[in-house]
Amino acid sequence: YTQKREASYMAIETNSQARAIPAAEKLELPDSLGYAGVMLDFVESLQTGRENNIVLSVPNEGAIEGFADDDVVEISCTITKDGARPVFIGSVPEDMTLLMKNVKLFERLTVEAVARRSRELAVQALTVHPLVNSYSLAKGLVGDYMNAYRDLLGDWT
């Protein structure tokens, strides 16, 4: 699993070349260190001033049109001694914008649900999530979750 992850998704995250997965009897840890490697690259750029490009979750700051500056987006960033600056993307296709807006709405509603300890808002959050997109399914999922973790969650209205 780790080798597959490093050869594909983490190759993008760490700005390295995707590697073929060797058919081996012995598994070895990858060189890139996964997210720890991303963090170390980030810190190195902050300390040395050496410019680097890393995918990070940062405030949008106008990088993607149609989103608030304080919306957190996972985006390519230029890292310098001054910090992370998101790479300007501009507009994205309408279908992707709508998908991203639904996920952003899900995130906001989830935060509000937790802050208010509101079961109704938790259901609403899952209802707008593109992978759930169903009130009855969302209500069932929230109910199951609340029952499973009742001791940790306490009372929600």
Side-chain angles (χ1 to χ4, degrees):
Y1 171 81
T2 300
Q3 287 181 332
K4 286 181 182 178
R5 183 172 172 259
E6 290 295 322
S8 60
Y9 175 73
M10 287 308 297
I12 295 167
E13 295 289 319
T14 59
N15 203 24
S16 62
Q17 295 292 329
R19 297 184 310 244
I21 302 168
E25 293 179 14
K26 180 180 174 186
L27 295 177
E28 296 181 17
L29 288 175
D31 296 332
S32 73
L33 300 176
Y35 284 117
V38 172
M39 184 271 310
L40 290 171
D41 288 344
F42 177 76
V43 170
E44 180 182 29
S45 290
L46 286 177
Q47 290 183 340
T48 66
R50 181 181 61 84
E51 194 170 286
N52 200 350
N53 292 309
I54 303 174
V55 176
L56 296 172
S57 294
V58 296
N60 183 45
E61 296 179 359
I64 303 174
E65 292 175 3
F67 291 84
D69 285 344
D70 64 346
D71 279 342
V72 174
V73 294
E74 186 173 7
I75 192 168
S76 295
C77 295
T78 301
I79 314 302
T80 66
K81 63 179 176 54
D82 298 320
R85 187 180 73 251
V87 173
F88 179 76
I89 301 295
S91 65
V92 295
E94 183 179 19
D95 58 334
M96 292 294 99
T97 298
L98 293 172
L99 177 63
M100 292 164 58
K101 288 218 177 247
N102 274 1
V103 171
K104 193 56 57 189
L105 178 57
F106 160 75
E107 291 170 354
R108 285 191 196 100
L109 287 169
T110 300
V111 168
E112 190 176 348
V114 171
R116 292 186 184 186
R117 302 177 66 79
S118 169
R119 182 184 290 251
E120 181 181 326
L121 283 171
V123 170
Q124 187 179 352
L126 281 177
T127 300
V128 302
H129 193 286
L131 295 178
V132 176
N133 199 30
S134 160
Y135 175 79
S136 58
L137 180 56
K139 188 173 180 181
L141 288 169
V142 169
D144 290 348
Y145 187 85
M146 295 291 180
N147 287 335
Y149 296 100
R150 148 179 59 246
D151 296 341
L152 296 172
L153 295 170
D155 292 329
W156 281 47
T157 58

